[in-house]
Amino acid sequence: MSTFHLGRRAVLAGTAAAAAVAVLPMVQGRAQAAVPAETGYRWRNAVQGGTGFVTGVLFHPSVRGLAYARTDIGGAYRWDDRTDRWIPLTDHLGWDDWNLLGVEAMAVDPAHPNRLYLALGTYAQSWAGNGAVLRSEDRGATWKRTDLAVKLGANEDGRGCGERLLVDPRDSDTLWLGTRHDGLLKSTDWGATWQAVSFPAAPGATGQGITLLVAAGRSVYAGWGDSDGTSANLYRTADGTTWETVPGQPAGTAAKVPVRAAYDRHTRELYVTYANAPGPNGQSDGSVHKLRTTTGKWTEVTPVRPGGPTSDGGTDSFGYGGVAVDARRPGTVVVSTNNRWSLVDTLYRTTDGGRTWTSLKDKAVLDVSETPYLKWGADQPKFGWWIQAVGLDPFDSGHIVYGTGATLYGTRDLKNWAPEIRGLEEASIRQLISPPAGEAHLISGSGDIGVMYHERLTASPSRGMASNPVFGTSTGLALAAAKPSYVVRAGWGDHGNGAWSNDGGRTWAPFASQPSMAKSAPGPITTNADGSVLLWSFGTGNPGFRSADNGGSWSEVASFPKGAAPVADPVDPTRFYAFDTTTGTLHASTDSGRTFTARATGLNSGDTEFQLAVAPGRSGDLWLSLKWNGLYRSTDGGATFTKVGSCWASYTLGFGKAAEGASYPAVYMVGSTESITAVYRSDDEAKSWTRINDDQHQWGWIGAAISGDPRVYGRVYIATNGRGVQYGEPAR
């Protein structure tokens, strides 16, 4: 993952002047309280099969079958060996704690198998909150939390380094935490409180700081990522107080940043992977070295040095990333390349302490039948990329796992590999559609992995990502309300930026043409009720374009508010709507998108975020979410809006099948009726709300999209920013 994703689904965003609108009565001057759910909801992931960057994997050294994984924006997980599934551990983090869904580092205690520690914090930027440490004595079932006074960066450069968190080998109550900008922190009460301690190196501007902490016997080693390639980048302490530069350490570009380290207790050798940049991007050189801790002797054991030629005339550039030692076999080590795009990344394995190496990719057989999207529209999957997380089971020498930018592969025999990803779902969801008819109940658009057609919610889509063309990040997804077999999508792609489907999203064809700006700024797209007209927007300051021949040709719509996201009326094919993000004005078209005119004005969010939704089966029934300025409704096609008094904040809103005996669709909202931001359902047109999520199911920031299922009452789909698609149904 790359940035904090603010997705859109039939929504609009912008700033505007203050609104002068009618307000529905509120109870005693405040929004009505939500009614507690009577029967509760059951929450699950709609299975995609990973899709995000697994930045760390850690086998417990003392307990067979116990392992943990971390991700850059999707939380942490524990492996359940009985069910072969990952169990999410951080879904309880709520809206205000969205920045804690990125896991910077994790640690286990060899002497206390039930203890687990997580260092959380997605961004170190000024606009992000400080980090926190979670500690558990029951393997992550329950937590105690300590808020830090420093920022962490689980989704920044260097997020695959580590681990930056360590239980001291001398004392289980003592922990070390390496930070990016604030040096070294220490806790002597197993993570309850933290203090800065003296460290030889001063933080630099690169934002790396301490890249790794590793125990080697009774000593602790720390990697330093702000080195210039000539100064020291590896330090150690033997007494837990005094830190010193490790003598004789490698220098130069290929050993500029220590990425990861692992200690072979049998041979008393410390293996360190290096690169010229922290990764996962930007590495072009690297090396592997080992230190015999008993003598201080360094030996370079790099499997293959970067810089050689490739068959296409290029240069084989890459760095080194993950490293793991075999707890059962002295001198057996696995390391990974990283950012090797030309020849594709691999794992190298040695059984003789690094004198000789074998590439495990060369004879690997990859089975991605459970997660077909890993073929990326090709015939065969690739071994992987962004490999910085490598784990070797301390109880099974044949069991190796490695994380990629999209999954976690594993083997039990060093030859046959398959994703070991069940239960671990990390995706930033941008758009959601639940069609009123057809095979699939869900179509989703994501950051990084485009669009997926979910025939079943319990298995990764059999067709993988939507192809022809394949997108990276999806920017728009819509269906024709009166002809749901017709679906359109837009996104970032190398072979076209828009496509259409006539079979409900099962198969796709690219538009025959596209506006020139589509390649550099693809944006939201929609189609009218009968699928005869397309409207495509291209971001702030850019005009909208219209096609009446299924993308064969496009014409600019001069009166379309620049940068707005078009929304189609679900009944009348001549009507479209768009919100002007600069003036707070609702614009409408009644001539099939040829021209737009202003209607309601003065709608103010006080921020840059708007979301506009249209009730299914009703012409001109618009709902406008203005974040903490509330929810507004228009029943006259946007001519006037009335403020809804039953909630004080609304971030995203969608519709589903009506309750038994009700004539209006169920309304689903991420918003606030009292103090917290939660997920709500209304069966009476937003007169009252029932909270349907609970404190253990919050998933951080969930403001991109929400949709009910038009065929199943009570079922709702939620777009999360890192935990994929969550769907809930009333408990039976």
Side-chain angles (χ1 to χ4, degrees), residues 136-440:
S136 174
E137 290 192 274
D138 52 17
R139 305 183 183 185
T142 60
W143 297 99
K144 292 181 180 179
R145 170 173 162 178
T146 296
D147 290 323
L148 300 174
V150 303
K151 299 179 185 296
L152 305 179
N155 194 35
E156 298 189 350
D157 286 348
R159 57 194 183 273
C161 294
E163 294 293 320
R164 289 178 162 98
L165 185 63
L166 179 70
V167 175
D168 191 277
R170 295 168 170 263
D171 178 8
S172 288
D173 288 344
T174 296
L175 283 87
W176 302 91
L177 174 60
T179 74
R180 294 166 176 268
H181 301 282
D182 298 278
L184 183 64
L185 305 183
K186 184 179 182 180
S187 171
T188 57
D189 51 13
W190 68 284
T193 60
W194 294 85
Q195 298 81 34
V197 298
S198 177
F199 192 76
T206 66
Q208 295 307 308
I210 295 170
T211 58
L212 65 87
L213 293 163
V214 62
R218 294 173 63 82
S219 296
V220 174
Y221 288 74
W224 185 251
D226 288 341
S227 170
D228 59 5
T230 60
S231 56
N233 57 31
L234 195 67
Y235 300 86
R236 71 182 172 202
T237 179
D239 59 9
T241 301
T242 305
W243 290 84
E244 63 177 355
T245 300
V246 178
Q249 62 186 265
T253 301
K256 182 178 180 181
V257 179
V259 177
R260 285 186 174 269
Y263 180 62
D264 188 332
R265 61 184 177 85
H266 299 290
T267 64
R268 297 186 181 182
E269 292 174 319
L270 181 69
Y271 291 82
V272 186
T273 58
Y274 290 92
N276 62 337
N281 285 313
Q283 294 178 341
S284 59
D285 199 1
S287 59
V288 182
H289 298 258
K290 70 176 181 179
L291 167 67
R292 186 174 294 273
T293 59
T294 54
T295 65
K297 179 183 178 181
W298 282 92
T299 305
E300 181 171 359
V301 291
T302 307
V304 174
R305 283 301 301 265
T310 60
S311 59
D312 59 2
T315 300
D316 184 22
S317 64
F318 59 91
Y320 280 92
V323 56
V325 299
D326 191 331
R328 301 167 65 87
R329 298 180 177 180
T332 297
V333 186
V334 177
V335 300
S336 71
T337 65
N338 186 69
N339 205 48
R340 192 184 198 184
W341 296 103
S342 179
L343 297 183
V344 183
D345 279 304
T346 186
L347 300 185
Y348 287 104
R349 179 175 181 263
T350 180
T351 59
D352 55 15
R355 288 190 293 273
T356 60
W357 297 85
T358 300
S359 172
L360 297 182
K361 177 187 68 175
D362 295 347
K363 295 183 179 180
V365 177
L366 296 177
D367 177 4
V368 298
S369 56
E370 280 198 23
T371 51
Y373 78 90
L374 288 169
K375 294 182 180 180
W376 305 101
D379 292 332
Q380 297 295 327
K382 292 185 177 181
F383 197 72
W385 76 102
W386 282 14
I387 305 176
Q388 294 187 292
V390 176
L392 206 165
D393 191 333
F395 297 90
D396 181 356
S397 297
H399 185 199
I400 301 172
V401 296
Y402 67 93
T404 77
T407 192
L408 189 73
Y409 279 111
T411 183
R412 302 280 176 162
D413 60 8
L414 306 183
K415 178 181 178 182
N416 295 287
W417 299 80
E420 292 190 6
I421 200 69
R422 292 178 187 173
L424 197 163
E425 298 286 349
E426 188 205 12
S428 175
I429 307 300
R430 305 298 190 86
Q431 302 93 22
L432 297 171
I433 291 177
S434 185
E439 177 186 31

Side-chain angles (χ1 to χ4, degrees), residues 10-14 16 19 21 567 577-581 584-587 600-605 609-615 621-635 638 640-644 647 649-653 655 669:
V11 298
L12 301 166
V21 295
V567 178
Y577 310 98
F579 203 90
D580 190 326
T581 61
T585 301
L586 191 287
H587 292 253
T601 61
L603 294 162
N604 176 32
S605 75
E609 302 300 321
F610 297 87
Q611 294 204 0
L612 180 67
V614 189
D621 190 350
L622 310 179
W623 297 74
L624 183 62
S625 296
L626 298 182
K627 299 183 72 173
W628 50 79
N629 283 291
L631 176 65
Y632 293 77
R633 184 183 180 188
S634 172
T635 56
T640 60
F641 278 86
T642 299
K643 189 172 185 180
V644 177
C647 61
S650 179
Y651 300 93
T652 184
L653 185 135
F655 305 91
M669 179 184 71

Side-chain angles (χ1 to χ4, degrees), residues 24-27 30-35 618 621 623 631 633 635 642-648 653 655 662-669 672-673 680-691:
L24 294 178
M26 304 177 82
V27 178
R30 62 176 296 176
Q32 299 179 39
V35 178
R618 286 158 173 78
D621 190 350
W623 297 74
L631 176 65
R633 184 183 180 188
T635 56
T642 299
K643 189 172 185 180
V644 177
S646 57
C647 61
W648 66 266
L653 185 135
F655 305 91
S663 60
Y664 197 84
V667 184
Y668 296 92
M669 179 184 71
S672 303
T673 66
Y680 298 92
R681 188 192 72 230
S682 176
D683 295 329
D684 56 10
E685 297 184 54
K687 296 181 180 66
S688 63
W689 299 94
T690 297
R691 183 186 177 191

Side-chain angles (χ1 to χ4, degrees), residues 548-559:
D549 56 5
N550 197 36
S553 61
W554 298 85
S555 58
E556 182 179 333
V557 181
S559 54

